[in-house]
């Protein structure tokens, strides 16, 4: 079976982090996000993957390459202008046939794709969407099912008074490649607002399969933090590990230098080439990207730093999210801020 990953969105809700780095390769526990999805696919025997990209395609290609290091074959289809979720799938038409798994490129999940496939085959479905239960369905696609699992209604981003169920589209589909004919080429077309409702009108065998596996859309800063936490606490189980070796506090990369009086409080991920100064406290739930330095007496709690961040002496970070190369001046205290790449915070700041 082949897979298409829809990875062409702008990641607007994750700005400023996605200004220079598209959402599909934002690091989670120091690993580009797509690697988690590839691990899930691989675990279910899917090794032929097409990435449907549009925003910053070269950045994605530079990180993911041809997939050889991930044990998959990775090919790319690139839209000059984003064509929407169905348009992005349509763009892969020349490369897929038979049954295809389609994934939204921002879903962290360990759903049982093999069980979903068994359901799909048993029902004689031509389209099956995975559903998950959420507290607030209004930011998702709400899906009502018939008793036998057929989709009765698909309503994208309903207003609160239109919500009739808590089962929403989990952004994971099994689709017959022949259904691609229903998607016009070269125009913006939506999976959720056009393609799925069209399947219902045409009475195509279209089913929903409810999963209770871990599931999260990483599309906002709050969700991104939640995803990091879930991985650190091993709530989500995927066969991917950060670079380096596991120790009592978490994963520590190569060439990391930790002062003797510094403390790591588990769980943490410390990327390669990080330096941690005297009496610094790092963790719990902290991720330091490669080449990050933590000054003496700094406190870094529930914080995510991308690569090459510099935290000066005496900084206190609690719940912060820092893009690549941020520089935090000495004794600055930051709470749950989100700083874009290269932000410079003067000493003694409070935010
Ligand atoms: N190739 C391509 N082209 N990909 C796109 C485009 C496009 O024009 N637009 C969005 N994508 C990709 C995004 O990169 C993302 O991985 C995925 O499609 C979904 O887009 P989002 O922008 O994240 O959508 P959403 O989160 O608001 O809603 C979608 O996901 C929910 C589950 O998280 C919908 O599918 C909802 O129905 C669903 O519940
Ligand atoms: Mg999303």
């Amino acid at each position: 079976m082949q897979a298409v990953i829809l990875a062409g969105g702008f990641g607007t809700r994750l700005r400023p982090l996605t200004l220079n780095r598209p959402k599909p390769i934002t690091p989670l526990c120091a690993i580009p996000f797509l690697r988690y999805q590839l691990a899930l696919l691989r675990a279910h025997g899917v090794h032929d993957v097409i990435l449907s990209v549009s925003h910053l395609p070269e950045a994605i290609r530079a990180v993911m390459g041809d997939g050889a290091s991930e044990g998959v074959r990775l090919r790319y289809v690139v839209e000059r202008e984003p064509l929407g979720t169905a348009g992005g799938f349509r763009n892969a038409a020349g490369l897929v046939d038979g049954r295809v798994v389609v994934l939204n490129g921002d879903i962290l999940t360990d759903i049982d794709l093999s069980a979903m496939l068994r359901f799909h085959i048993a029902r004689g479905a031509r389209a099956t969407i995975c559903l998950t239960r959420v507290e607030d369905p209004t930011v998702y696609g709400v899906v009502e099912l018939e008793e036998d699992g057929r989709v009765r209604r698909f309503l994208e981003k309903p207003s609160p008074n239109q919500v009739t169920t808590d089962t929403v589209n989990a952004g994971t589909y099994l689709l017959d490649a022949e259904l691609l004919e229903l998607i016009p080429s070269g125009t913006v077309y939506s999976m959720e607002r056009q393609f799925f409702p069209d399947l219902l009108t045409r009475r195509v065998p279209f089913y929903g399969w409810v999963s209770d596996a871990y599931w999260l859309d990483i599309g906002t800063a709050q969700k991104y933090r939640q995803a990091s936490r879930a991985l650190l606490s091993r709530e989500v189980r995927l066969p991917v590990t950060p670079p380096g070796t596991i120790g009592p506090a978490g994963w520590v990369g190569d060439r990391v230098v930790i002062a003797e009086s510094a403390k790591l409080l588990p769980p943490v991920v410390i990327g390669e080439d990080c330096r941690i100064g005297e009496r610094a406290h790092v963790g719990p739930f902290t991720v330091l990207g490669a080449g990050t330095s933590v000054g003496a007496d700094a406190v870094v709690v529930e914080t995510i730093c991308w690569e090459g961040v510099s935290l000066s002496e005496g900084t206190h970070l609690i719940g912060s999210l820092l893009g690549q190369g941020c520089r935090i001046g000495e004794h600055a205290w930051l709470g749950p801020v989100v700083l874009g790449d290269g932000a410079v915070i003067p000493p003694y700041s409070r935010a």
Side-chain angles (χ1 to χ4, degrees), residues 6 8-9 13 52 79 82 84 104-106 141 156-157 169 192 217:
L6 301 172
R13 287 162 294 179
S52 172
E79 299 144 56
N104 282 351
D106 62 349
E156 182 68 10
K157 314 255 160 64
N169 171 20
E192 299 82 359
D217 176 323

Side-chain angles (χ1 to χ4, degrees), residues 250-272:
W251 290 91
V252 178
D254 294 340
R255 300 175 300 279
V256 167
V257 180
I258 303 174
E260 225 163 279
S261 55
K263 278 207 168 64
L264 299 185
L265 305 165
V268 295
V269 171
I270 312 292
E272 51 203 23

